[in-house]
Amino acid sequence: MKLVLIKHKFTLAFLLVILVMAFVEPSYARSSLSISYDNLVTMMGVIPPIFLLIGLMDVWIPKETMIKYMGEHSGLTGLFFSFLLGSMAAGPLYAAFPIAALLLRKGARFAYVFFFLGTWTSAKLPLVLFEMTSLGVPFTLIHITSMMLMYLIGSFYLESLLKPHEKIAILDKIHAMSQ
Amino acid sequence: MTTTVLFYTVSILLTVLSYFKDRQKTMMALKKAYKAFTGLVPALIPMILFVGIMLTLVSPELIGKLLGDESGLTGIIVGAVLGSIVFMPSFVAFSLGENLLIGGAGYPQVAVFIATLMAVGISSLAIELKYFNKKTTILRNVFALFASLIFAGLIGGIL
């Protein structure tokens, strides 16, 4: 019982905030719940199929294949595939982390995985047209090119800051999670 | 909506295909998917409630006021902070950005808000930490924040 409470302390805390709102300003509580519900619906639209795909990729893609295409010595091919994977995405940022973990676990290079995350957060091809119609073509083009250029440099820089033992610790952690 | 249908269709089709090719492997994939999903839910639910509360307290009208054309550097900082904390689906963010611009918000302010909304995830820190370590999580988010600010500067200079 105590363990359950600790495990869900944040959930309980936020529910408490909403409960307090319900007494002080009921419309706020209603709005909080309805926005949460909308996001929950969005989440359920993205997360289960993504995990299904991760599960399938996990059992079907051999480590050697991942190393060949996104590993330490995959060069431009690695960059290309991390861009491809990131830009095909349509999900929110939090959905990218389990995929990044799978890539790392299968032997992808850290820099490419960071680049994948960068692409995911700024150049989503399914949404490019939408961004163009909402915010304009110049805005969208500057957004994508400037962010991608910065992430290209940033990904390798971020990797260079990681010491070998830190990389191993991260890999151990994600290996343990998938057991 | 269409992406949801597409996502589900593709993943279910692939699962069926996988099942015909190798039953055992597919069962293992399903087991892994289920485990990963249930492992993440305790972190997803509080994040969603937090964003629900935040977006209630900070309404689009309020965001529009804070990011006004005259808001200058303050508006950029406010946009960066708000964008970093909350999240919303990208297509919602884009149309919100459009409405903010129509409502008189400045281009660089909206730019930094949209860019951080997509790239910086304070509300999803707990999830990022589950897979990466403190160092990568902090550095990635700080870097994304700086990149968003530079992007906003470019927008301010060009548009």
Side-chain angles (χ1 to χ4, degrees), chain A residues 54 57-58 61-72 74 78 82 85 96-117 155 158-159 162-164 166-179, chain B residues 127-133 136-137 140:
Chain A
I54 293 178
M57 279 158 71
D58 203 348
I61 299 179
K63 213 170 166 175
E64 300 73 48
T65 313
M66 184 67 79
I67 290 173
K68 186 174 161 204
Y69 290 107
M70 289 184 78
E72 207 66 50
S74 57
S82 40
L85 276 176
F97 300 126
I99 301 180
L102 172 80
L103 297 177
L104 283 175
R105 196 147 48 76
K106 288 277 178 181
R109 182 175 168 177
F110 271 81
Y112 298 150
V113 174
F114 291 136
F115 190 62
F116 157 78
L117 285 175
S155 309
L158 187 50
E159 183 194 67
L162 282 182
K163 298 186 182 72
E166 289 174 317
K167 288 186 187 173
I168 293 168
I170 292 174
L171 291 174
D172 282 348
K173 183 161 136 182
I174 36 196
H175 272 295
M177 278 174 82
S178 75
Q179 290 311 305
Chain B
I127 294 168
E128 191 164 356
L129 277 170
K130 253 181 168 345
Y131 297 100
F132 288 90
N133 66 13
T136 55
T137 303
R140 195 201 65 77

